[in-house]
Amino acid sequence: MINWSTIDTVLLDMDGTLLDLHFDNFFWTSHLPKRFTDIHGGELAHVKGRLIDRIMSERGSLNWYCMDYWSQQLDVNITALSVEVADKIRMLPTTARFLDALKASGRDIWLVTNSHQDGLRIKLEKTGLNTWMHRIISSHELSLPKEDRGFWPALHRHWPFDPAKSLLIDDTATVLDAAADFGVGQLLTITRPDSQSPPRPNLSYPALNSFDDIMPIPQRTPRQ
């Protein structure tokens, strides 16, 4: 599926790639509407539909991922509400085994996420993903979402890497499209970002059922 001999840097998405997207789906479609009605009142079914429509209107923008933005827009503390259900944050089944093998191979491992810094902090505290990473980047640091064609050149300017010798694994096709335009050499997606949902059909990039599909991982070829 990939040619490991050409890969020096592995760029990894977080939610839906390393972590189970079920937490995020549950939070935004179930927990937030319920807690919103607790705080502001209203009929749950109506509130849920209105909130989801409002949130979806920002899809693909940096606002979509910004906990500060939604706290202000909805007059609730999104970070605090996330902590209430943080026990649902977990890695996908083969994530730890994959990251162990990747680190042992000698490659650079970068977490490149659209997660807002508060959400990122909560998830790192819960999962320990940071222990495997050589670099952790939130798109909020660059004021651009990963879907934006400007994100990848900005990432490269701030933290240089060789895109031709890089692998990106991400569950979002528009992110992979932007990375492909920038010249990231190898691209993979995930068939089942949410463990509670069925596998996604007809994906536009080669897809992993689990990280076992691309293991074992050989040692990186020493640089000349």
Side-chain angles (χ1 to χ4, degrees):
M1 184 174 286
I2 62 172
N3 182 359
W4 280 114
S5 67
T6 66
I7 300 300
D8 286 342
T9 304
V10 180
L11 310 166
L12 297 169
D13 175 48
M14 184 171 69
D15 302 314
T17 299
L18 299 178
L19 302 188
D20 194 335
L21 196 61
H22 180 64
F23 167 79
D24 300 272
N25 289 337
F26 171 80
F27 177 81
W28 293 100
T29 65
S30 295
H31 188 64
L32 174 60
K34 179 182 182 304
R35 295 292 285 116
F36 185 93
T37 61
D38 291 342
I39 296 165
H40 296 297
E43 194 275 319
L44 181 58
H46 173 71
V47 167
K48 181 174 180 177
R50 186 160 53 88
L51 284 179
I52 291 174
D53 286 347
R54 175 69 185 90
I55 292 164
M56 290 297 290
S57 72
E58 296 285 354
R59 188 171 188 174
S61 71
L62 201 62
N63 286 340
W64 163 269
Y65 304 101
C66 184
M67 297 171 85
D68 290 339
Y69 176 80
W70 291 115
S71 293
Q72 186 274 327
Q73 290 289 306
L74 305 178
D75 193 23
V76 296
N77 187 328
I78 295 294
T79 300
L81 297 186
S82 297
V83 171
E84 291 177 354
V85 289
D87 62 309
K88 291 185 176 292
I89 297 170
R90 54 180 54 92
M91 291 188 283
L92 285 166
T94 58
T95 293
R97 183 162 65 245
F98 169 66
L99 292 175
D100 282 342
L102 195 55
K103 193 165 187 176
S105 78
R107 290 173 174 82
D108 292 332
I109 311 170
W110 293 19
L111 185 67
V112 186
T113 177
N114 276 324
S115 178
H116 181 265
Q117 289 93 331
D118 287 348
L120 176 59
R121 173 181 51 79
I122 293 166
K123 289 171 178 175
L124 294 180
E125 288 174 355
K126 191 70 178 177
T127 65
L129 278 179
N130 51 295
T131 61
W132 285 283
M133 301 299 158
H134 297 104
R135 192 177 298 283
I136 297 174
I137 301 109
S138 166
S139 62
H140 295 262
E141 297 175 66
L142 300 176
S143 300
L144 291 166
K146 295 188 296 179
E147 295 91 327
D148 193 295
R149 263 44 178 193
F151 173 84
W152 297 96
L155 176 68
H156 185 263
R157 284 194 300 273
H158 282 77
W159 300 285
F161 65 101
D162 186 343
K165 295 182 178 180
S166 298
L167 164 68
L168 170 65
I169 308 178
D170 198 293
D171 67 313
T172 302
T174 50
V175 171
L176 294 165
D177 290 343
D181 282 353
F182 181 61
V184 174
Q186 298 188 56
L187 304 161
L188 295 174
T189 193
I190 305 291
T191 59
R192 199 175 181 185
D194 182 334
S195 67
Q196 305 303 306
S197 297
R200 302 181 296 169
N202 305 317
L203 296 169
S204 53
Y205 289 88
L208 304 176
N209 295 307
S210 80
F211 288 116
D212 288 345
D213 293 345
I214 52 173
M215 291 198 283
I217 302 173
Q219 288 289 306
R220 180 170 69 175
T221 304
R223 292 174 179 148
Q224 301 300 317

